[in-house]
């Protein structure tokens, strides 16, 4: 009643079972999911308290099982319970394992979310060693491709910052202790200390494909730290004035531009339904 998958299975002629495939005179269907997941799945089908696994990766395995067996009602309920339940924070290995489970289970929204969470952790064979058996098919290749595209967008964004276009026209020529340095940018360009900050992140982004990625939410704090260090070391009078008038708006513009550029990156697995089937085309 809950699963067209099993409804179809029981409607087909069955081979004569051997003695080891019969319990109490009934044929046994052997499933690949473990007892904990199947117990949770069955609890979603009856008017009894549902049993959701305590770990996030087990909950994802349960969600994938409901999709595999085409249990639409159970799938909606499990998804809602996962969204409302507070799980312990994922470690790096748990994040990669959860991504692998979502990929093998063809869970698009979870794939996208978890792919982004993996960016906070290194991606090397040494780091992933114990989790590699969890990856099936093209899951690892897709994650590598996602990471590369994310890196490319991050690099392009910092390169655009160094090209001195909007919103950098708030900055005038930096005046350190009353002296304008020849190495300072032209009027209307960001001060040299700000360019150094962007160049640092550009270099790190180019070279650190396997390392944790820069979080756009940190750009404001790093900007303020760089500005404070500049003021203390150079007794600058012009940059503090610019910051007082436009600093908050400027930081917001930087964060928004980084966030938009990185939000455009998607995993290459796209799922859609066509006559009840799922497809995974290249993009």
């Amino acid at each position: 009643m809950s699963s067209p998958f099993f409804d179809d299975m029981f409607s087909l002629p069955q081979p004569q079972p051997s003695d080891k495939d019969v319990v109490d005179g009934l044929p046994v269907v052997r499933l690949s999911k473990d007892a904990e997941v199947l117990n949770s799945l069955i609890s979603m089908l009856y008017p009894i308290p549902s049993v959701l696994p305590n770990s996030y990766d087990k909950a994802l395995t349960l969600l994938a099982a409901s999709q595999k067996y085409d249990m639409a009602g159970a799938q909606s309920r499990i998804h809602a319970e996962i969204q409302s339940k507070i799980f312990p924070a994922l470690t790096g290995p748990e994040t990669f394992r959860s991504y692998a489970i979502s990929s093998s289970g063809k869970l698009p929204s979870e794939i996208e979310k978890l792919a982004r969470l993996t960016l906070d952790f290194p991606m090397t064979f040494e780091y992933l060693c114990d989790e590699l058996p969890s990856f099936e098919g093209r899951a690892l290749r897709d994650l590598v491709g996602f990471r590369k595209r994310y890196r490319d967008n991050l690099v392009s964004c910092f390169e655009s910052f160094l090209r001195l276009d909007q919103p950098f026209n708030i900055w005038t020529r930096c005046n350190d202790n009353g002296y304008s340095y020849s190495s300072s940018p032209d009027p209307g360009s960001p001060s040299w200390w700000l360019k150094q900050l962007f160049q640092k992140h550009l270099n790190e982004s180019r070279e650190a494909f396997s390392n944790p990625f820069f979080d756009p939410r940190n750009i404001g704090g790093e900007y303020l730290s760089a500005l404070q260090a500049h003021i203390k070391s150079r007794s600058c009078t012009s940059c503090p004035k610019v910051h007082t008038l436009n600093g908050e708006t400027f930081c917001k513009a930087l964060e928004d531009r980084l966030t938009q550029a990185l939000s455009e990156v998607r995993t290459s697995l796209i799922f859609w339904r066509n006559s009840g089937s799922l497809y995974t085309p290249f993009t």
Side-chain angles (χ1 to χ4, degrees), residues 120-172:
D120 294 333
F121 306 100
M123 187 175 181
T124 63
F125 281 109
E126 292 79 9
Y127 192 80
L128 292 179
C129 181
D130 294 336
E131 310 308 325
L132 288 176
S134 302
F135 286 82
E136 298 179 3
R138 50 186 279 184
L140 187 60
R141 185 185 68 181
D142 284 330
L143 191 56
V144 170
F146 172 79
R147 205 174 182 93
K148 286 181 177 178
R149 293 191 299 276
Y150 195 94
R151 185 268 315 274
D152 292 344
N153 276 28
L154 195 60
V155 166
S156 296
C157 210
F158 280 114
E159 286 177 340
S160 74
F161 290 171
L162 289 173
R163 288 196 294 268
L164 314 182
D165 57 0
Q166 292 282 354
F168 300 105
N169 56 1
I170 66 172
W171 295 97
T172 58

Side-chain angles (χ1 to χ4, degrees), residues 24-169:
D24 295 333
L26 298 175
V28 173
V29 176
R30 300 190 179 277
L31 304 176
S32 59
K33 307 301 180 184
D34 64 31
E36 180 183 359
V37 171
L38 291 174
N39 181 64
S40 296
L41 186 60
I42 292 173
S43 75
M44 300 288 173
L45 306 180
Y46 291 92
I48 58 175
S50 57
V51 180
L52 189 71
N54 289 324
S55 67
Y56 184 66
D57 57 348
K58 283 284 189 180
L60 288 178
T61 303
L62 174 62
L63 184 61
S66 68
Q67 176 157 296
K68 175 181 179 179
Y69 300 137
D70 206 11
M71 297 177 173
Q75 187 174 356
S76 297
R77 185 176 174 185
I78 294 167
H79 199 276
E81 294 208 19
I82 290 176
Q83 295 298 317
S84 63
K85 185 177 177 64
I86 300 177
F87 292 96
L90 294 175
T91 65
E94 288 172 341
T95 302
F96 283 99
R97 181 166 66 251
S98 296
Y99 167 85
I101 293 170
S102 296
S103 180
S104 63
K106 299 179 175 60
L107 305 173
S109 60
E110 284 73 21
I111 290 173
E112 193 70 33
K113 178 179 70 175
L114 288 162
R116 294 188 181 280
L117 290 179
T118 64
L119 298 172
D120 294 333
F121 306 100
M123 187 175 181
T124 63
F125 281 109
E126 292 79 9
Y127 192 80
L128 292 179
C129 181
D130 294 336
E131 310 308 325
L132 288 176
S134 302
F135 286 82
E136 298 179 3
R138 50 186 279 184
L140 187 60
R141 185 185 68 181
D142 284 330
L143 191 56
V144 170
F146 172 79
R147 205 174 182 93
K148 286 181 177 178
R149 293 191 299 276
Y150 195 94
R151 185 268 315 274
D152 292 344
N153 276 28
L154 195 60
V155 166
S156 296
C157 210
F158 280 114
E159 286 177 340
S160 74
F161 290 171
L162 289 173
R163 288 196 294 268
L164 314 182
D165 57 0
Q166 292 282 354
F168 300 105
N169 56 1

Side-chain angles (χ1 to χ4, degrees), residues 156-223:
S156 296
C157 210
F158 280 114
E159 286 177 340
S160 74
F161 290 171
L162 289 173
R163 288 196 294 268
L164 314 182
D165 57 0
Q166 292 282 354
F168 300 105
N169 56 1
I170 66 172
W171 295 97
T172 58
R173 183 184 294 274
C174 179
N175 192 324
D176 298 347
N177 199 23
Y179 295 96
S180 295
Y181 287 81
S182 59
S183 60
S184 296
D186 294 332
S189 301
S191 297
W192 58 270
W193 58 269
L194 188 55
K195 292 187 68 176
Q196 286 182 335
L197 174 63
F198 296 148
Q199 188 66 56
K200 167 180 171 290
H201 282 299
L202 177 60
N203 294 340
E204 290 177 352
S205 299
R206 284 172 172 164
E207 299 171 0
F209 164 76
S210 60
N211 290 340
F213 279 86
F214 176 74
D215 187 336
R217 293 172 295 182
N218 295 334
I219 191 64
E222 295 201 16
Y223 155 80

